[in-house]
Amino acid sequence: MVWRRAFGDVRRHAAEMARVVIWMTAIKTHVVDLTLCVGPSMMPTFNPSGDVVLVERLSAAKGRTPRRGDVVLATSPTNPTQLVFKRAVGLGGDVIDVPYSYGRNFKLRTRRVSVPAGSVWLQGDNPLNSTDSRDYGPVPEDMILGRAWVRVWPPRAFGTVENSMGVVELVRAGA
């Protein structure tokens, strides 16, 4: 009889834990998530040795297009098992002038790009050290997983992530 009561308690606790895990997974997948941003492509916005960023996922889950200048978390177009932080500098229908490196001296030039409907042009903030839409082209909107919202680590850099167009110039906004 004692073992039945103990088994019943274990079963109730396991069910409660399962509910907690399901809720946490749903929140992490569809509302907010903590993600580590590592690498030089988003310098100076993020530290190349790693910043922990709170990513707002609700907008992407509802199919909302990011705003120009938002830093977004996306599935890497070159390796679908990896995630990348990049800045959305062009939306579907936009015409933008983007920097690209030219020649052995890495002189920056600009190139005019039309972003197709249903796509986003993503670029790192460090144009000389970023693999982005200049290399792989426009990214389908459904590859955007969320928007970088707040940097939570390191503590000295705590704060919201700035919306900026950086070195990209918007020539004509899409519809």
Side-chain angles (χ1 to χ4, degrees), residues 17 29 32 37 47 54 72 74-75 95-96 105-106 109 114 118 121 127 131 136 143 147-148 152 155 158 163 166:
M17 284 296 286
T29 304
V32 292
C37 178
N47 181 356
L54 187 63
V72 297
T75 303
V95 177
I96 54 177
N105 296 329
F106 294 105
R109 310 263 187 196
S114 295
W121 191 268
T131 301
Y136 45 69
M143 293 179 79
R147 177 178 58 95
V152 296
F158 181 87
N163 178 306

Side-chain angles (χ1 to χ4, degrees), residues 43-62:
M43 282 178 52
T45 302
F46 295 124
N47 181 356
S49 60
D51 287 349
V52 177
V53 179
L54 187 63
V55 176
E56 179 270 320
R57 289 181 172 251
L58 195 56
S59 298
K62 290 187 172 194

Side-chain angles (χ1 to χ4, degrees), residues 9-19:
D9 287 345
V10 168
R11 195 168 43 152
R12 276 191 299 280
H13 290 303
E16 188 63 33
M17 284 296 286
R19 279 192 288 274

Side-chain angles (χ1 to χ4, degrees), residues 87-110:
R87 194 170 296 277
V89 295
L91 307 178
D94 285 356
V95 177
I96 54 177
D97 284 342
V98 299
Y100 71 98
S101 58
Y102 177 76
R104 294 175 54 182
N105 296 329
F106 294 105
K107 293 179 182 175
L108 282 181
R109 310 263 187 196
T110 59

Side-chain angles (χ1 to χ4, degrees), residues 48-86:
S49 60
D51 287 349
V52 177
V53 179
L54 187 63
V55 176
E56 179 270 320
R57 289 181 172 251
L58 195 56
S59 298
K62 290 187 172 194
R64 294 187 190 138
T65 302
R67 296 175 306 166
R68 283 177 204 86
D70 280 350
V71 175
V72 297
L73 178 66
T75 303
S76 170
T78 58
N79 182 351
T81 63
Q82 290 183 341
L83 302 177
V84 294
F85 278 100
K86 301 292 178 190

